[in-house]
Amino acid sequence: MSATPSSLPPFDPGDPLGIDDLLTDEDRAVRATVRQWAADRVLPQIADWYERGELPDIRELARELGAIGALGMSLTGYGCAGASHVQYGLACLELEAADSGIRSLVSVQGSLAMYAIWRFGSEEQKQRWLPGMASGEIIGCFGLTEPDHGSDPASMRTHARREGSDWVLTGRKMWITNGSVAGVAVVWAHTDDGIRGFAVPTDSPGFSAPEIKHKWSLRASVTSELVLDEVRLPADAVLPGAKGLGAPLRCLGQARYGIVWGAMGAARTCFETAVDYARTREQFGRPIGGFQLTQAKLADMALELHKGVLLAHHLGRRCDAGTLRPEQISFGKLNNVREAIEICRTSRTILGANGISLEYPVMRHATNLESVLTYEGTAEMHQLVLGKALTGLDAFR
Ligand SMILES: Cc1cc2nc3c(=O)[nH]c(=O)nc-3n(C[C@H](O)[C@H](O)[C@H](O)COP(=O)(O)OP(=O)(O)OC[C@H]3O[C@@H](n4cnc5c(N)ncnc54)[C@H](O)[C@@H]3O)c2cc1C
């Protein structure tokens, strides 16, 4: 409080709290690389991909993301970048500032499929899959959700039985990101020994992954069903370290952590779009940004955007320190996705009719975030996680 206003750093509308001061030069370099990649490769085409409901260049995009170290970014060894969790978070934010579908591609590849193999796989499984996944040559998916079992995955019907030394998998998975382009599917199934995870080569006989069409959210993302019809796998397809539901939940924790950051990327884009629009769009003879009601909206959006980014940084530092608890990830995912949706919707109102057009990114982000609110644990599941942690009472059943 002793500094005089003239000796203070100038107010930065893009970073009003000076959160960038928390970053190292390396953090800034990672952020700049990912932001530039998204500006070059995603932004010029995303509205078209979204309108068509396709991600046509997904294999090429995956290889490029691999080349900039974004796949399995915070994992170590096997060609992974070994970046900090804060750096991974910054990457998620920049990717989702372009589109949640691109961030989903990276989250599922790195935090779900690669992490499952990295954390629970045998050395042979890691050698077989991880280098190709880190480079983007092999795309991975993660099959937990089923048509009748989403929030309650313990009730899954997919099962694996032993036949001699082989495993035979049967069941269906639903809403699986990257499913029909994946070379390896991490599939969770009941066994006589509880829930186990399997690294399933997607060219295995009996495996198919029809793409899910007619989505009105995450349209620039591949989402598929997985059909496992007596898929026979050798004994070494099971992930030896994954026993019980805790294993997939641990993977989900990694992906949720990325969403805490990513959601603020979508929010940032919508906020910036609203500010630009409000400064130039004139009604009643002056820019709408000069009206108090618009300024109130922008001020409230800025509060939640930068509080959310600060929260992501806080959780990122705890993650790097090894002290981040699952309840804290729930806190971040619940808050930041909810606030990001609110920011996008408010931005939509500031843009008036233009807010519903694909010429602007706002409606695309808002509809994407409806999926983000639901996947990796619905908002209600995270409320229940926090409710249980706060009261000691389990309200899930
Ligand atoms: C675009 C997209 C991509 C996805 N990608 C993947 C993926 O790669 N891999 C994967 O495994 N899954 C994926 N999912 C699935 C996602 O994780 C599930 O949709 C999510 O877990 C919710 O399951 P559900 O849709 O079956 O909803 P349900 O579980 O049927 O829930 C419906 C509603 O009931 C509420 N509810 C349920 N139980 C309770 C309760 N006890 N108390 C209060 N409310 C309750 C929920 O919160 C929700 O509001 C994806 C989903 C989408 C939309």
Side-chain angles (χ1 to χ4, degrees):
M1 290 299 288
S2 57
T4 57
S6 59
S7 67
L8 293 172
F11 182 82
D12 177 358
D15 182 22
L17 295 176
I19 299 173
D20 269 13
D21 293 353
L22 299 172
L23 301 180
T24 65
D25 288 345
E26 206 183 329
D27 296 342
R28 289 168 207 264
V30 167
R31 180 175 67 177
T33 300
V34 179
R35 187 182 293 195
Q36 191 60 52
W37 179 83
D40 293 343
R41 289 294 283 123
V42 181
L43 293 183
Q45 302 182 78
I46 187 64
D48 178 49
W49 295 340
Y50 203 85
E51 190 154 34
R52 287 158 52 193
E54 290 173 9
L55 196 47
D57 299 342
I58 185 165
R59 291 184 191 284
E60 201 181 322
L61 293 174
R63 280 193 286 271
E64 292 175 19
L65 285 161
I68 62 169
L71 302 179
M73 192 170 178
S74 53
L75 305 181
T76 49
Y78 310 98
C80 302
S84 72
H85 289 89
V86 167
Q87 288 164 3
Y88 173 53
L90 289 164
C92 289
L93 190 150
E94 294 303 329
L95 294 170
E96 196 147 359
D99 193 80
S100 303
I102 305 297
R103 200 268 309 136
S104 297
L105 162 63
V106 168
S107 289
V108 170
Q109 176 83 352
S111 294
L112 293 179
M114 290 175 73
Y115 180 81
I117 295 169
W118 182 86
R119 177 73 180 74
F120 302 115
S122 66
E123 189 53 37
E124 292 70 33
Q125 288 167 335
K126 293 179 198 185
Q127 298 286 356
R128 176 175 181 190
W129 297 113
L130 291 179
M133 294 173 85
S135 70
E137 286 300 323
I138 303 171
I139 295 178
C141 69
F142 183 90
L144 181 65
T145 304
E146 301 190 349
D148 296 328
H149 305 283
S151 300
D152 178 20
S155 303
M156 70 175 71
R157 301 262 294 278
T158 300
H159 61 273
R161 65 173 196 276
R162 293 306 298 247
E163 273 193 18
S165 64
D166 289 351
W167 290 97
V168 180
L169 264 71
T170 300
R172 273 175 71 201
K173 299 290 179 182
M174 193 68 182
W175 298 110
I176 307 306
T177 303
N178 299 347
S180 39
V181 290
V184 60
V186 172
V187 174
W188 301 92
H190 273 299
T191 71
D192 286 344
D193 199 17
I195 291 175
R196 304 294 307 266
F198 296 84
V200 182
T202 56
D203 57 3
S204 305
F207 181 97
S208 58
E211 192 170 347
I212 297 173
K213 294 289 187 184
H214 313 298
K215 290 178 298 171
W216 283 112
S217 171
L218 279 191
R219 289 175 59 74
S221 173
V222 173
T223 315
S224 316
E225 200 178 336
L226 304 185
V227 180
L228 298 127
D229 183 10
E230 300 274 304
V231 176
R232 182 173 291 274
L233 299 170
D236 62 6
V238 72
L239 302 175
K243 291 186 178 153
L245 190 62
L249 293 185
R250 243 189 121 126
C251 303
L252 290 173
Q254 298 288 313
R256 290 167 182 164
Y257 165 76
I259 291 173
V260 176
W261 288 85
M264 289 298 112
R268 185 186 75 193
T269 298
C270 291
F271 174 72
E272 289 175 352
T273 305
V275 172
D276 285 349
Y277 194 85
R279 287 160 67 98
T280 53
R281 171 76 176 174
E282 292 195 4
Q283 289 295 294
F284 299 96
R286 60 192 174 105
I288 59 169
F291 297 122
Q292 290 182 356
L293 287 175
T294 308
Q295 292 198 358
K297 288 180 186 176
L298 293 173
D300 287 350
M301 290 159 81
L303 291 186
E304 296 310 328
L305 169 59
H306 298 290
K307 277 155 63 179
V309 173
L310 202 51
L311 171 59
H313 271 279
H314 174 67
L315 298 187
R317 289 174 157 217
R318 290 188 74 83
C319 199
D320 282 325
T323 56
L324 184 62
R325 291 196 54 85
E327 298 86 345
Q328 294 166 335
I329 301 177
S330 285
F331 190 119
K333 201 247 176 191
L334 175 62
N335 183 78
N336 282 11
V337 179
R338 207 159 58 178
E339 295 305 331
I341 289 184
E342 200 52 42
I343 289 168
C344 294
R345 287 178 182 158
T346 308
S347 171
R348 220 280 311 142
T349 69
I350 292 173
L351 269 71
N354 279 325
I356 72 155
S357 168
L358 256 180
E359 298 289 320
Y360 292 88
V362 172
M363 194 73 171
R364 174 169 56 80
H365 280 294
T367 56
N368 276 341
L369 287 172
E370 295 296 334
S371 288
V372 181
L373 189 72
T374 285
Y375 70 24
E376 312 294 350
T378 65
E380 293 80 7
M381 289 304 110
H382 294 296
Q383 286 176 312
L384 293 179
V385 168
L386 284 177
K388 182 178 170 190
L390 293 170
T391 64
L393 302 170
D394 184 338
F396 281 91
R397 289 173 198 285

